[in-house]
Amino acid sequence: MTTRMRARARVAVASCVVVLAAGCAPAPAGPPPVVVVRASVAVPKAAVPAPPAIAPVDLATLPVAEPRNLVPGLPGTDGLEQRRNDDPALGTWQTATVVRDTAGYDALHGRPVATVPAETLDVPTVLPVLDRRGGWLRVLVATRSALPSQDVAQVNGRSVWIRAQDTTPSGTDWRLHLDLTALTLTIDDGGTTSTVPVKAVGAPGTPTPAVAQFVVGSQWEQPGTYTPRVLLLSSQSEAIDVYDTATGTSATAIHTSPFARTGPISNGCIRVSDEVLDLLWGKVPPGTLLTVA
């Protein structure tokens, strides 16, 4: 065997050793095979229950939600504030103009507790909207659920649920704020804001209610009286059951006064000058909120 042949033989043997050695090494561990279960899973689907039917309501059997009446069972606001309008063209803040007498409920699909009238004291009823659910609106009303001597917590800030189909969408850009300490009224008409002085507010024993309330939309001119121009508010005194014997109410209002005395002296009403009332008279929309602090 030649030298070249012997060299080739040694290379071939070495190659076989490498191959055999590699074949004896254990195979590296790989990931376990994926098992796919293709069985179908059937999930039963529950039908969405239909909303409960609205039973006919005899409105004549219900008390009317307006300032002269007590309507027991009205809920409060649950901390809700006036809702912003879905259509800003109607005004920033949502109100509802009641177009026909309708039932007011104590909860969504709840119990009818009042008749919400299309007119309140001979003017259209316009109410601030707190919430909307489907075809229902939760609105503030100018009605007490109790006298102050019975339960002061139920005097102001009352609400009901009504059907939206009995209203026309409306709104206001205005907001009012009364500062009891500074004796000022801030008027925001959605474009400009001004702060003006007020002449008088509620006395310590008969304070102006410090609750969210609204302009009812009733405006009276009564020449010859000491309050010839009056803007009725939805709130009533939380200290006096009745101080206006003609109406049987303790309603609060923004009005003029000839009296020279100023400061915290009234039964809860906000007394202003003729010049200040001119800024509101015939301009502030009904359903406009007034906050007090």
Side-chain angles (χ1 to χ4, degrees):
M1 179 180 295
T2 67
T3 300
R4 180 178 294 178
M5 294 175 64
R6 284 195 295 272
R8 289 177 177 173
R10 285 196 295 272
V11 172
V13 172
S15 299
C16 290
V17 172
V18 172
V19 171
L20 289 173
C24 294
V34 177
V35 178
V36 179
V37 178
R38 300 189 180 279
S40 60
V41 179
V43 178
K45 297 181 179 180
V48 177
I54 305 300
V57 177
D58 183 359
L59 299 180
T61 65
L62 300 174
V64 179
E66 58 108 302
R68 293 170 294 186
N69 297 328
L70 291 178
V71 182
L74 296 179
T77 64
D78 295 325
L80 296 173
E81 298 181 350
Q82 188 173 17
R83 191 174 183 272
R84 286 185 175 269
N85 239 328
D86 295 327
D87 181 3
L90 294 174
T92 303
W93 307 102
Q94 186 176 0
T95 61
T97 300
V98 181
V99 295
R100 63 184 66 88
D101 292 357
T102 186
Y105 294 77
D106 62 356
L108 191 66
H109 302 292
R111 179 175 60 96
V113 292
T115 294
V116 179
E119 288 190 349
T120 299
L121 302 176
D122 301 322
V123 298
T125 301
V126 183
L127 305 172
V129 177
L130 304 178
D131 197 4
R132 178 170 190 140
R133 304 285 182 88
W136 292 82
L137 300 174
R138 187 174 185 175
V139 294
L140 278 174
V141 289
T143 310
R144 298 184 290 184
S145 275
L147 298 173
S149 61
Q150 297 169 331
D151 185 353
V152 69
Q154 294 191 54
V155 172
N156 292 311
R158 302 296 92 192
S159 70
V160 292
W161 288 89
I162 59 176
R163 301 301 303 276
Q165 67 188 24
D166 294 324
T167 70
T168 295
S170 52
T172 174
D173 287 319
W174 289 59
R175 278 291 171 95
L176 306 176
H177 177 72
L178 176 66
D179 188 321
L180 295 171
T181 302
L183 288 180
T184 58
L185 179 68
T186 299
I187 304 170
D188 181 356
D189 65 6
T192 60
T193 300
S194 58
T195 298
V196 295
V198 301
K199 296 176 67 173
V201 294
T206 56
T208 300
V211 297
Q213 51 199 281
F214 63 95
V215 175
V216 173
S218 302
Q219 299 180 336
W220 294 280
E221 276 194 278
Q222 298 174 315
T225 68
Y226 81 90
T227 56
R229 292 192 294 169
V230 176
L231 292 179
L232 182 66
L233 299 172
S234 63
S235 67
Q236 299 199 39
S237 171
E238 295 179 348
I240 307 174
D241 286 353
V242 175
Y243 63 69
D244 184 352
T245 55
T247 62
T249 73
S250 56
T252 60
I254 302 173
H255 60 75
T256 55
S257 170
F259 301 137
R261 290 181 61 207
T262 61
I265 58 174
S266 77
N267 282 335
C269 287
I270 305 164
R271 300 178 187 174
V272 298
S273 66
D274 284 292
E275 291 75 19
V276 168
L277 197 58
D278 285 341
L279 301 175
L280 304 172
W281 190 257
K283 300 172 186 175
V284 58
T288 293
L289 219 64
L290 167 71
T291 56
V292 180

